[in-house]
Amino acid sequence: MLRVAITERPQWRELAHQLGFHFHTIEGEPYWTEDAYYQFTLEQVEQDIEDPTEALHEMCMDAVERVCQSDALLHQLNIPERMWSVIRNSWRNGQPHLYGRMDFAYNGNGPAKLLELNYDTPTSIYEAGFFQWLWLEQVIEQRLLPARADQFNSIQERMIAALAHIGQRLERDASTPPALHFASIKAHEEDRATVAYLQDCALQAGLSAPFIHIEDIGYQPNTEHGCFVDLENRPIRALFKLYPWEEMSDDAFGELLPMMQTHWFEPPWKTILSNKGILPLLWQWNEGHPNLLPAYFDTSDGTSLSPGWVRKPFFSREGSNIELITTGGQYEAVDGPYTDNPRILQAYHPLPRFGERHALIGSWVVGDRACGMGIREDVGRITKDSSCFVPHAIV
């Protein structure tokens, strides 16, 4: 694993704007950066990233089954009791899911270590699935990389195939041609761009893919079970929402969720895997696994994981409210809104450092298959929403 300097493509910013990648720069600071790329061998990708991702994914599916069978575990994960039947029914009915991302610490040697799962509302899929692939094609055309260069990236084709499969299932379950609505919150450019990309994949898969903001979804009680509706009063039978389940269940319409016949993407059972409380359970059930780090429910001040630990809230995103102490005693923390969450403690494992930058690997799962990765880097040890995205290549 190397960080290699490379010449930027001419006018890539103009191209990004043309393609809807308007958040390549955030508040004047670069988010997408291509003055360097991360280089891997095929063996590193296949053996150290792809294979462990699929093994861990199967482990996660087993964990969902165990949690669904236990009131005590659902309670331990701080999941509201009114959601238990929704979660269990979605799992037992085999409601399909689209995608997820595992975050790894990996330096090119030894096993990659799972830091956390992003299995409900993972972002950066546009950057990983489309824009970095376009980068690879163009730098090869410009002879900045050899023609044999490749990338661990079949994200988009697998996403289209997964959506086509979902479309077939929806068609079997509906009396009218199905639509898969897509939703995100207002005034959030990155979320809207992510959803627009997934809408485009859905259209390529042959689905109808209307968009609605989360805040504009309505409720129509005058049906057998009631249903959510869009601004044209059309029933929303299937919905991809880039909106966390734990927030959705607390919203005004949250009490209606158990009564809905909606096909959700991601499905309610993803609530279990989007909860960082799953990490202590994975360790408890698979202690010593080479890709897992010791993790425990936080009932102390962290000294049980001395000489290095990381404290994380059950529900947090983009590094918010995470704090750590390295094995050398350095303290680092990120503020955020998740102050009233239960927390876990995880053994500290350093991210690889290249100059002043720490690199995190996000390994993507689509349709139960590992299919690509994206790399984020930051001067700090905690990856945040402002951390840069850097492309990669297999050479």
Side-chain angles (χ1 to χ4, degrees):
M1 180 178 174
L2 304 171
R3 191 181 193 275
V4 183
I6 192 171
T7 303
E8 294 186 356
R9 293 169 294 167
Q11 289 84 47
W12 72 260
R13 291 171 181 82
E14 290 82 355
L15 177 63
H17 278 289
Q18 293 171 16
L19 296 173
F21 189 10
H22 303 300
F23 57 98
H24 62 77
T25 301
I26 301 174
E27 296 181 355
E29 296 295 325
Y31 167 65
W32 170 272
T33 179
E34 60 175 67
D35 58 355
Y37 69 96
Y38 282 91
Q39 180 177 300
F40 298 82
T41 67
L42 182 60
E43 183 179 19
Q44 286 173 324
V45 168
E46 290 182 341
Q47 295 185 9
D48 295 345
I49 303 297
E50 184 176 14
D51 289 349
T53 297
E54 296 205 345
L56 289 169
H57 179 71
E58 289 302 312
M59 201 179 295
C60 289
M61 297 300 102
D62 176 69
V64 174
E65 175 67 23
R66 292 189 186 209
V67 172
C68 282
Q69 292 177 1
S70 169
D71 288 358
L73 290 175
L74 287 164
H75 177 74
Q76 189 172 26
L77 292 178
N78 205 40
I79 295 173
E81 189 169 348
R82 68 170 176 271
M83 289 295 296
W84 292 3
S85 63
V86 181
I87 291 168
R88 283 171 166 150
N89 289 337
S90 70
W91 177 250
R92 291 167 180 166
N93 293 337
Q95 288 188 16
H97 68 115
L98 273 177
Y99 70 152
R101 193 188 75 237
M102 297 182 184
D103 287 346
F104 287 122
Y106 175 70
N107 64 6
N109 298 294
K113 297 294 187 180
L114 177 68
L115 300 182
E116 62 183 63
L117 300 167
N118 299 272
Y119 260 44
D120 182 16
T121 58
T123 52
S124 78
I125 192 167
Y126 170 83
E127 304 92 284
F130 177 74
F131 204 72
Q132 74 164 341
W133 181 259
L134 181 63
W135 167 86
L136 179 69
E137 290 182 328
Q138 293 185 342
V139 295
I140 290 175
E141 289 174 1
Q142 296 165 20
R143 299 185 178 180
L144 297 172
L145 282 179
R148 68 179 185 279
D150 201 355
Q151 196 173 84
F152 179 35
N153 193 354
S154 59
I155 295 171
Q156 181 163 305
E157 61 191 78
R158 290 201 177 277
M159 179 62 68
I160 293 170
L163 285 162
H165 174 74
I166 285 169
Q168 292 169 1
R169 175 164 177 159
L170 294 176
E171 192 168 6
R172 289 196 303 269
D173 294 345
S175 58
T176 57
L180 174 56
H181 282 74
F182 287 78
S184 63
I185 62 173
K186 295 178 179 178
H188 197 297
E189 186 175 45
E190 180 182 356
D191 282 8
R192 182 65 189 96
T194 298
V195 170
Y197 171 63
L198 295 173
Q199 281 180 272
D200 183 68
C201 290
L203 292 172
Q204 293 184 61
L207 279 73
S208 171
F211 176 81
I212 184 169
H213 285 111
I214 290 286
E215 298 91 332
D216 291 334
I217 294 175
Y219 173 65
Q220 172 56 263
N222 297 324
T223 61
E224 181 180 357
H225 297 285
C227 66
F228 293 124
V229 294
D230 62 19
L231 289 173
E232 297 178 18
N233 220 33
R234 294 176 299 185
I236 299 175
R237 304 298 186 189
L239 177 68
F240 174 91
K241 79 309 176 278
L242 197 63
Y243 193 61
W245 269 110
E246 70 271 13
E247 294 184 25
M248 193 167 170
S249 62
D250 283 339
D251 284 348
F253 285 163
E255 62 185 28
L256 300 174
L257 293 174
M259 298 180 286
M260 294 295 102
Q261 301 297 312
T262 312
H263 293 267
W264 299 104
F265 301 98
E266 296 292 89
W269 60 261
K270 280 293 190 79
T271 306
I272 295 169
L273 298 180
S274 66
N275 184 321
K276 292 180 180 60
I278 197 66
L279 297 171
L281 295 178
L282 286 173
W283 178 253
Q284 176 184 327
W285 296 329
N286 306 276
E287 184 171 346
H289 190 282
N291 297 113
L292 294 177
L293 292 168
Y296 309 92
F297 293 99
D298 183 13
T299 57
S300 68
D301 60 1
T303 55
S304 62
L305 287 178
S306 181
W309 52 260
V310 183
R311 180 180 280 117
K312 303 177 179 181
F314 277 19
F315 303 107
S316 75
R317 283 164 173 76
E318 303 289 2
S320 294
N321 298 98
I322 290 177
E323 58 180 333
L324 62 81
I325 292 183
T326 71
T327 52
Q330 296 98 339
Y331 177 78
E332 195 167 314
V334 175
D335 291 333
Y338 306 100
T339 55
D340 59 349
N341 271 218
R343 298 172 299 180
I344 70 157
L345 288 168
Q346 184 182 56
Y348 173 73
H349 188 87
L351 294 174
R353 184 171 175 174
F354 299 84
E356 295 299 314
R357 303 172 180 88
H358 301 85
L360 175 83
I361 292 179
S363 182
W364 288 91
V365 175
V366 177
D368 296 308
R369 295 291 302 276
C371 59
M373 67 182 180
I375 299 172
R376 304 283 297 279
E377 62 177 23
D378 201 289
V379 294
R381 295 177 176 86
I382 301 172
T383 306
K384 304 180 288 293
D385 57 354
S386 58
S387 301
C388 293
F389 190 105
V390 186
H392 79 275
I394 300 170
V395 180

